[in-house]
Amino acid sequence: MLFRDALNLIKPAAPTGAHWADLGCGSGLFTRALATLLADGSTIDAIDAAPQKPIESPNPAVEIRFQQQDFTSEPPQSLDGVLMANSLHFVRNKAALLKRLNARQLIIVEYDTMLANPYVPYPADWAHLEAMLKGIGLTDVRRLGDRPSVYGKVSMYAASAR
């Protein structure tokens, strides 16, 4: 996926606030996209279980701090927002994790399928994610957009909730 594709997927969420986390940040593609959307002076905690190269912010006024840790066992607390791009499908008990985050805004990017595979072990299509987010008390749950996946017939979607 290209940077502009990642940016276009999450941009409609209009992220606000100054302290965000990108859980399961990987190489930082979506972290960098988020950094272009946040106000100057914001901070993103980019968290991944695997070691990563430093993620350079496209906006020098937005700080990106990488932390190597398992976000499922120690989720960050009291954030303005949480981005989870292609990471929620690694979490078996999604609702429990999302409840513990205590963030004012969530942005989630996932594959629109319920068919598990080795790379997407616990999938959540849009219908399941929407029901789960509303079920744990989140509001303003909306689908932001979608795009074809390079990994077959399944599309990717972005969603947000407050």
Side-chain angles (χ1 to χ4, degrees):
M1 180 181 297
L2 300 174
F3 176 81
R4 72 173 179 264
D5 299 325
L7 180 61
N8 288 337
L9 268 176
I10 67 171
K11 189 175 186 176
T16 61
H19 189 195
W20 277 71
D22 180 359
L23 305 182
C25 66
S27 65
L29 175 67
F30 281 92
T31 313
R32 291 190 309 275
L34 178 61
T36 66
L37 300 172
L38 294 177
D40 289 357
S42 296
T43 302
I44 302 170
D45 293 325
I47 299 171
D48 203 285
Q52 301 292 331
K53 293 179 182 176
I55 301 169
E56 189 173 321
S57 179
N59 178 352
V62 173
E63 180 184 9
I64 298 174
R65 303 181 298 207
F66 176 74
Q67 299 171 26
Q68 184 179 351
Q69 71 182 57
D70 177 2
F71 67 81
T72 62
S73 62
E74 296 180 49
Q77 297 292 308
S78 301
L79 298 165
D80 293 313
V82 170
L83 170 65
M84 295 185 76
N86 298 320
S87 59
L88 191 59
H89 60 243
F90 290 107
V91 179
R92 183 186 300 263
N93 191 343
K94 295 168 184 44
L97 173 70
L98 294 173
K99 278 185 196 179
R100 292 185 338 191
L101 290 176
N102 192 28
R104 294 190 312 200
Q105 184 178 9
L106 289 174
I107 300 174
I108 298 171
V109 179
E110 273 302 333
Y111 294 99
D112 203 1
T113 185
M114 288 303 293
L115 297 175
N117 65 55
Y119 307 103
V120 183
Y122 309 109
D125 67 9
W126 165 243
H128 283 87
L129 181 71
E130 180 183 31
M132 179 182 36
L133 293 173
K134 289 179 178 179
I136 63 172
L138 295 174
T139 60
D140 192 21
V141 177
R142 59 192 175 107
R143 185 174 179 140
L144 303 171
D146 58 281
R147 62 165 276 111
S149 168
V150 297
Y151 299 109
K153 300 175 185 174
V154 176
S155 67
M156 296 178 72
Y157 69 91
S160 69
R162 295 183 187 269

